[in-house]
Each structure stands twice: as C-alpha cells, then as structure tokens.
C-alpha cells in the first residue's frame, strides 16, 4: 500500500523499519500512549511480529513517512471485518520532534479517505485513553464521535484510567471533509 497525503506518505512496513519500531516502543513517554502494558521490546520480538503480520488477514501495519521520506510513525488497522466493512485504527507519531505539526491528522485523514472511497468501508473505530487529550482533540477534529466508555479499562502507572471509544461513519467523514462521490 502506498498512499499520499498533504504532509505524509503511508506505506507497508518493511524489515528495515524494525529498529525504529523498537526505538519508539521502548520510549516510556510513547509507551504510555499505546494499548497493552508498556514493554521493553527487542529487535527479535519486532521481527517475529513483522513476520507474523505478513500472514495476518485482519490486521495491517503501515509506516508513516514525511514527504521528505523520513519515517516518523506507524498506523495500523485491526479487526478488519470485510463483510461488515469496518475496522479499528491505531496510530502513533514516534518521532516526538514531529508532534503537534499535523502529521498524525494528515495520516489518519489519508488512510480514512482510502478506506471510505477506495475500499468502501462503512465504519472505523478507535480507542483513546482519557489522559491523551491531544489525540482526542485530533480525532474529534477529523470527525470521530464518542460512542462509549470502557470505565477504568486501562491500568497504568499505579492507577486506572477510562478508555474512550470513538468511531466515524463513511457519510460523516465525507461530509466533514467535503468529499463527494
């Protein structure tokens, strides 16, 4: 997959990306933003995940690059349900110097445009932790709505946090971004 946005390109993960994934996932500040226990991952663990991902049919992992070709993060689609035309998305800008510059917004809009216009998806959902206010604002700006709450569904740093469930439908996205089919 190769998609181009206004600020980013999105492409398939390659074996050469594994050291960056290890670096990003081992950063404690970044680890607090992703689901699952913060882990110290290794090249071997990420290599196995990469190999396993090649055969998965309901998960797609992609790299986000700046237009200059620097890898800056990753975006994934999980729980891909082709019959019901829906999926769950997760995203992370791993290069912190690129935070707050619109790269994540552009990456997600680019992927959603592809899913809704090219692949005829109907719905995309995501989870965001209550303390990740910056991400929640981005998702709302794109057009995601809060659909539910997993009360105290995350245990992190000695306390429980709510997990906010958000989603966007094809018509909502197309209307918000003035895309006509």
């Amino acid at each position: 997959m190769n998609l181009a946005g206004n600020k980013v390109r999105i492409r398939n993960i390659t074996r050469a990306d594994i050291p960056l994934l290890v670096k990003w996932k081992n950063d404690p500040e970044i680890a607090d933003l992703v689901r699952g226990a913060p882990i110290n991952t290794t090249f071997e663990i990420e290599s196995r995940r990469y190999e396993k991902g090649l055969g998965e049919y309901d998960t797609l992992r992609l790299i986000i690059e700046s237009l200059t070709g620097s890898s800056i993060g990753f975006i994934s689609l999980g729980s891909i349900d082709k019959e019901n035309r829906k999926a769950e998305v997760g995203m992370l800008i791993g290069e912190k110097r690129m935070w707050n510059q619109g790269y994540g917004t552009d990456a997600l809009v680019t992927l959603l445009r592809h899913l809704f216009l090219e692949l005829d998806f109907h719905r995309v959902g995501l989870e965001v932790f209550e303390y990740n206010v910056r991400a929640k604002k981005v998702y709302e700006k794109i057009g995601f709505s809060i659909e539910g709450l997993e009360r105290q569904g995350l245990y992190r740093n000695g306390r429980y946090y709510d997990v906010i469930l958000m989603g966007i439908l094809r018509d909502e996205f197309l209307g918000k971004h003035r895309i006509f089919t």
Side-chain angles (χ1 to χ4, degrees):
M1 176 180 295
N2 286 300
L3 305 174
N6 295 322
K7 295 183 135 203
V8 300
R9 286 189 296 264
I10 300 171
R11 62 167 175 79
N12 291 330
I13 288 179
T14 67
R15 195 174 308 282
D17 296 313
I18 294 172
L20 272 178
L21 295 173
V22 172
K23 173 188 150 193
W24 295 334
K25 290 180 179 183
N26 282 338
D27 182 311
E29 187 176 7
I30 292 171
D32 268 349
L33 303 176
V34 296
R35 185 64 117 161
I39 58 168
N40 290 318
T41 193
T42 64
F43 184 84
E44 292 74 24
I45 291 170
E46 292 304 317
S47 293
R48 283 194 301 274
R49 182 173 282 138
Y50 168 78
E51 294 295 332
K52 179 181 177 224
L54 294 176
E56 288 186 38
Y57 67 92
D58 68 344
T59 302
L60 181 61
R61 294 176 184 93
L62 305 160
I63 285 290
I64 302 168
E65 290 182 335
S66 68
L67 293 180
T68 61
S70 298
S71 298
I72 62 170
F74 62 89
I75 193 164
S76 64
L77 277 178
S79 304
I80 298 170
D81 180 344
K82 292 179 183 176
E83 181 179 338
N84 293 299
R85 299 183 342 232
K86 66 180 185 173
E88 300 292 318
V89 69
M91 179 182 62
L92 178 75
I93 299 300
E95 293 299 323
K96 292 188 274 188
R97 72 183 189 289
M98 307 302 260
W99 286 3
N100 300 313
Q101 296 180 44
Y103 291 101
T105 301
D106 188 51
L108 188 50
V109 167
T110 299
L111 181 61
L112 291 172
R113 185 177 294 119
H114 177 70
L115 292 173
F116 291 134
L117 290 176
E118 305 297 322
L119 300 180
D120 198 29
F121 271 62
H122 178 71
R123 179 188 191 292
V124 174
L126 58 80
E127 297 179 343
V128 62
F129 307 145
E130 69 174 274
Y131 57 78
N132 196 347
V133 177
R134 184 178 71 233
K136 185 175 172 281
K137 285 181 184 176
V138 167
Y139 301 144
E140 288 173 333
K141 180 173 86 171
I142 290 170
F144 281 83
S145 298
I146 295 174
E147 297 179 332
L149 185 69
E150 185 181 336
R151 295 178 308 135
Q152 297 185 6
L154 177 74
Y155 185 74
R156 197 57 59 87
N157 301 318
R159 70 171 274 215
Y160 289 96
Y161 295 93
D162 293 341
V163 179
I164 301 165
L165 310 175
M166 302 181 80
I168 189 167
L169 303 177
R170 180 182 194 272
D171 291 344
E172 294 168 343
F173 177 78
L174 298 179
K176 175 126 180 133
H177 295 274
R178 294 187 172 83
I179 299 171
F180 303 101
T181 57

